[in-house]
């Protein structure tokens, strides 16, 4: 990455920071206003990034100058918004305290700053308050003073939790910056997708043997495309997932506060999530699961804002953006967004009817219903603007918005009878809760297999099992694609059950929101197991549901500590001690799991073989398949030495393509001309082998040999091969 690229990468970061200041709620703060501002900024910036790609792609202008101009324009707009806000609020700061403008208690604000019509949830955490406050001034200084006061008043345990979270996040940032992208799927389709766009200058589909390059939603890759064009390389690609991980922590803590959790509960929530190995490993990756989870969490926190106050236009736009960004990133996230929007609609309808109750004789009930229907329509329209262009291209190409039949049938469940769903749920649960205890894993897997036979379901049935995979598989090892989350998962499940059955023990003032949110979480998990087949990599697909559920774990643990620390009747000192020790032990074990994942996780780690400190950049890319590193270099060197300009690709559906884009890049840094000699897209014929100057192959040598023109020399070494025409 060049120095200019590093400077240009600051444009999106600076824009988001300014946007956070510009969108912070004014007047009486809702729950955790700073975190709400971060949510708003992320949604606006995310939607803008997606729309920029779509618009410039339609104009065949996916170029560095165009993207620089787009971000300079956005930076100017956000700076202007901050300046206008500062000018509006400065006079209020100069008014003496006795006459300083205050907003009445009970008023709330929309994303655009306008009033809403009901009392907001009280912020019982460190970032908000119940009392009326003057219009904020000197936000940076005030924020620093507030942070210092929070740290001064925090208990030793809260400081340990905060320090642990900060330490994990900073170490993840270090790994994300030092490690080269080396995720398996990224080598196959995430990053090649980005390179095809750069080479073409547009978003048109291309002939390819890897259908996932064009059929899988590209939202996360759109974000990578911005970094690719701004920096000229992939050095900062891991930061997209890292930033998504930070956003997940902030939003999960805010959800905890919205459900009644104080500072300790919020810190416990963030700590459990931050130390979950799947989160730790994904936060340094170019996968897409944390990005999806972040958009789902943003939708959830905005929905919870709507449980006790009418939703303003700004929040409606935010919900639409969150829905669209989820859909364009990973459609499985809609399994959670759907129930969340239903909850929002019911809450808004209840509030609207309650507001009309005194005038029921004079006002028809259709008016509040129409308001909710109109708000719902606006959410869907905004979502369609974000995801619609991609779905339109997919529909035009395959005749279906969800892509070709092979995609629609490979991941979704093909049987929906209760017995099949039960078996699928048990297998997904077994993989998600896996531990290093091999006897426990074997015993529980055998029980599931035998139980499936009893109720007449084949546990390896292709209709409920992805591809040719066989249940069970070990999932405890800290591998970014499949690592289990038994601690966080168990705590989340216990928290959801507690919120559903005994919500008063968590917070007597939040019975309705707690039960409603728990129903949404459990519904999401049930829908996930009913709609998606079991697969060895299914744990990462569940990440969005885990992020959604962890706030209930934080609330439950905090309530357990609070209840057993108080001298309630029937609670002995021994029980209080046991509860405290058990909670501390669970949190310590979670911390150990997170540290081990960061230290020894695969395929990026701090210490040991393959450490980011001791492994070369090229070898880091191939930690999944070390034997391929020299093979790719060998073939690429031969092709470069031949002077070939137009190069044909021969590969299978799960082969690595991205190394060719790196090794065959032009001397000036431009994209190589790579064309596929195979195509799974009926309307996109492959290139003629006779039209290329050289051929590079991965995977099957016989498949490659079939496409090599007669008289060409074919060389193969293990996984990689190349073919050149006879010397002229």
């Amino acid at each position: 990455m060049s120095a200019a690229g590093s400077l240009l990468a600051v444009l999106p970061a600076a824009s988001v920071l300014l946007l956070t200041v510009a969108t912070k709620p004014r007047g009486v703060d809702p729950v955790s206003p700073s975190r709400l501002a971060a949510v708003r900024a992320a949604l606006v910036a995310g939607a803008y990034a997606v729309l920029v790609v779509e618009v410039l792609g339609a104009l065949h202008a996916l170029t560095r100058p165009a993207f620089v101009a787009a971000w300079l324009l956005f930076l100017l707009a956000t700076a202007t918004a901050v300046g206008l806000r500062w000018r509006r609020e400065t006079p209020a700061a100069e008014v003496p305290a006795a006459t300083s403008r205050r907003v009445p208690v009970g008023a709330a604000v929309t994303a655009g700053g306008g009033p809403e019509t009901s009392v907001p949830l009280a912020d019982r955490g460190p970032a908000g308050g119940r009392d009326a406050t003057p219009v904020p001034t000197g936000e940076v200084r005030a924020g620093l003073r507030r942070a210092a006061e929070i740290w001064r008043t925090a208990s030793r345990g809260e400081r340990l939790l905060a320090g642990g979270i900060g330490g994990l996040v900073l170490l993840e940032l270090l790994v994300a910056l030092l490690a080269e992208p080396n995720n398996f799927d990224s080598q196959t389709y995430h990053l090649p997708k980005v390179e095809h766009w750069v080479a073409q200058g547009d978003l048109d589909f291309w002939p390819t043997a890897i259908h996932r390059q064009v059929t899988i939603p590209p939202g996360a890759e759109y974000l990578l495309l911005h970094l690719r064009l701004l920096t000229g390389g992939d050095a900062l690609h891991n930061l997209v997932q890292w930033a998504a991980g930070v956003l997940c922590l902030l939003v999960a803590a805010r959800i905890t506060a919205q459900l009644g959790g104080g500072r300790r509960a919020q810190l416990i929530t963030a700590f459990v999530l931050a130390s979950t190995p799947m989160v730790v490993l994904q936060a340094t990756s170019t996968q897409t699961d944390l990005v999806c989870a972040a958009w789902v969490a943003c939708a959830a926190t905005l929905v919870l804002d709507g449980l006790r106050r009418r939703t303003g236009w700004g929040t409606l736009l935010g919900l639409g953006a969150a829905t669209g960004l989820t859909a364009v990133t990973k459609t499985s996230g809609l399994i959670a967004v759907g129930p969340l929007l239903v909850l929002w609609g019911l809450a808004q309808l209840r509030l609207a009817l309650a507001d009309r109750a005194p005038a029921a004789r004079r006002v028809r009930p259709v008016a509040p219903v129409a308001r909710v229907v109109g708000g719902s329509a606006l959410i869907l329209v905004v979502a369609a603007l974000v995801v619609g262009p991609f779905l339109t291209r997919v529909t035009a190409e395959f005749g279906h918005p969800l892509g070709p039949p092979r995609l629609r049938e490979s991941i979704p469940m093909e049987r929906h009878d209760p017995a099949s769903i039960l078996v699928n749920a048990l297998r997904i649960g077994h993989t998600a809760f896996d531990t290093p205890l091999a006897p426990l894993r074997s015993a529980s897997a055998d029980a599931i297999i035998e139980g499936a036979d009893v109720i007449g379901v084949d546990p390896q049935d292709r209709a409920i099992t992805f591809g040719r995979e066989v249940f069970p598989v070990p999932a405890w090892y800290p591998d970014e694609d499949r690592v289990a989350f038994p601690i966080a998962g168990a705590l989340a499940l216990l928290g959801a059950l507690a919120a559903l059955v005994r919500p008063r023990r968590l917070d007597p003032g939040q019975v309705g929101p707690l039960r409603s949110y728990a129903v949404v979480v459990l519904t999401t998990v049930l829908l996930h197991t009913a709609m998606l087949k079991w697969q060895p990599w299914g744990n990462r697909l569940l990440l969005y549901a885990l992020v959604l559920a962890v706030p209930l774990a934080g609330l439950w643990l905090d309530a357990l500590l609070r209840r057993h620390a108080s001298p309630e009747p029937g609670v002995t000192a021994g029980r209080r001690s046991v509860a405290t020790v058990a909670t501390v032990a669970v949190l310590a074990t979670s911390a150990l799991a997170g540290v081990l994942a960061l230290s020894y996780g695969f395929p990026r780690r701090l210490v040991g073989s393959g450490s980011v400190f001791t492994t070369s950049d090229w070898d880091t890319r191939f930690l999944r398949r070390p034997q391929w590193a020299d093979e790719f270099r060998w073939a690429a060197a031969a092709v470069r030495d031949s002077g070939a300009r137009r190069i044909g690709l021969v590969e299978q559906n799960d082969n690595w393509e991205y190394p060719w884009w790196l090794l065959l890049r032009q001397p000036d840094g431009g994209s190589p001309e790579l064309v596929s000699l195979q195509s799974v897209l009926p309307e996109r014929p492959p290139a003629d082998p006779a039209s290329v100057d050289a051929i590079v192959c991965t995977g099957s040598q016989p498949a490659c040999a079939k496409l090599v023109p007669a008289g060409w020399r074919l060389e193969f070494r293990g996984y990689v091969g190349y073919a050149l025409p006879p010397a002229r």
Side-chain angles (χ1 to χ4, degrees), residues 645-664:
R645 299 188 60 83
R646 180 176 167 88
I647 303 163
L649 286 173
V650 179
E651 55 197 1
Q652 286 74 57
N653 185 56
D654 205 31
N655 289 174
W656 286 19
E657 180 182 310
Y658 185 59
W660 298 127
W661 291 96
L662 298 175
L663 290 167
L664 299 175

Side-chain angles (χ1 to χ4, degrees), residues 27-77:
V28 172
D29 293 342
V31 177
S32 304
S34 297
R35 280 171 266 174
L36 177 57
V39 169
R40 292 172 174 176
L43 291 174
V44 173
Y48 179 78
V50 169
L51 293 177
V52 163
V53 172
E54 291 289 357
V55 171
L56 294 181
L59 297 175
H60 305 282
L62 297 181
T63 63
R64 189 181 201 181
F67 274 66
V68 171
W71 280 110
L72 285 174
L73 180 64
F74 192 64
L75 182 63
L76 177 62

Side-chain angles (χ1 to χ4, degrees), residues 215-582:
T215 56
I216 298 293
E221 291 90 338
Y222 281 173
L223 304 182
L224 293 176
L225 176 62
H226 284 267
L227 289 178
R228 169 65 176 86
L229 286 172
L230 291 175
T231 66
D234 60 12
L236 300 182
H237 278 10
N238 292 331
L239 293 186
V240 170
Q241 281 262 107
W242 178 84
V246 172
L247 183 59
C248 285
L249 297 181
L250 294 175
V251 180
R254 183 172 193 263
I255 291 173
T256 306
Q258 290 173 290
L259 294 173
R263 182 164 62 197
R264 183 174 62 185
Q266 295 172 51
L267 286 170
I268 291 174
T269 294
F271 184 83
V272 170
L273 187 60
S275 57
T276 300
M278 178 63 77
V279 175
V280 170
L281 294 169
Q282 288 257 339
T284 63
S285 169
T286 46
Q287 265 291 7
T288 62
D289 304 285
L290 268 180
V291 178
C292 174
W295 301 137
V296 171
C298 288
T301 195
L302 295 180
V303 164
L304 287 177
D305 278 340
L307 293 189
R308 290 188 176 176
R309 67 170 183 258
R310 297 273 289 278
T311 299
W313 292 107
T315 303
L316 289 173
L317 295 174
L319 283 170
T323 303
L325 288 168
T326 300
V328 81
T329 300
K330 216 175 186 71
T331 51
S332 57
L334 295 177
I335 296 174
V337 174
L340 284 168
L341 292 180
V342 170
L343 174 62
W344 170 86
L346 293 175
Q348 291 295 295
L349 185 60
R350 176 182 60 81
L351 291 171
L353 293 173
D355 289 344
R356 295 292 187 179
R361 295 182 179 179
R362 292 179 285 109
V363 181
R364 295 182 179 181
V366 71
V369 174
R371 177 186 173 91
V372 176
V373 171
S376 303
L378 179 60
I379 292 172
L380 295 178
V381 168
V382 174
L385 288 175
V386 176
V387 71
F390 168 70
L391 294 181
T392 300
R393 290 193 299 274
V394 173
T395 303
E397 190 74 29
F398 301 105
H400 195 286
L402 297 181
R406 65 184 301 176
L407 178 63
R408 302 197 305 270
E409 296 169 1
S410 61
I411 297 177
M413 287 275 285
E414 298 177 77
R415 290 180 57 178
H416 297 92
D417 56 284
S420 296
I421 293 175
L422 175 61
V423 172
N424 194 54
L426 291 174
R427 294 182 306 165
I428 289 175
H430 178 274
T431 306
F433 289 88
D434 191 23
T435 70
L437 304 175
L440 178 61
R441 180 191 312 121
S442 299
S444 56
D446 290 343
I448 293 172
I449 293 172
E450 292 171 4
D453 291 337
V454 170
I455 61 177
V457 177
D458 179 4
Q460 315 301 346
D461 186 354
R462 297 302 102 188
I464 62 173
T465 305
F466 178 82
R468 298 184 178 89
E469 305 302 326
V470 176
F471 173 82
V473 296
W476 64 268
Y477 184 78
D479 183 303
E480 66 174 354
D481 285 335
R482 64 173 66 189
V483 63
F485 36 81
I487 297 175
L491 292 175
L493 180 59
L494 290 171
L497 293 176
L500 189 64
V501 178
R502 293 187 174 181
R504 293 186 182 278
R505 289 196 172 185
L506 302 187
D507 192 314
Q510 301 285 345
V511 172
L514 280 168
R515 276 188 172 149
S516 300
Y517 191 76
V519 167
V520 167
V521 168
L522 294 174
T523 299
T524 297
V525 174
L526 292 175
L527 287 175
H528 184 100
T529 58
M531 298 175 67
L532 301 183
K533 297 175 179 177
W534 174 88
Q535 56 178 282
W537 313 279
N539 288 342
R540 63 182 182 82
L541 301 183
L542 267 172
L543 192 54
Y544 73 95
L546 181 69
V547 172
L548 204 64
V550 163
L552 296 175
L555 289 164
W556 179 68
L557 286 174
D558 180 66
L560 190 65
L561 291 172
R562 187 174 64 247
R563 179 169 177 264
H564 289 282
S566 60
E568 296 181 4
V571 179
T572 65
R575 287 178 60 187
R576 291 197 296 269
S577 178
V578 169
T580 301
V581 170

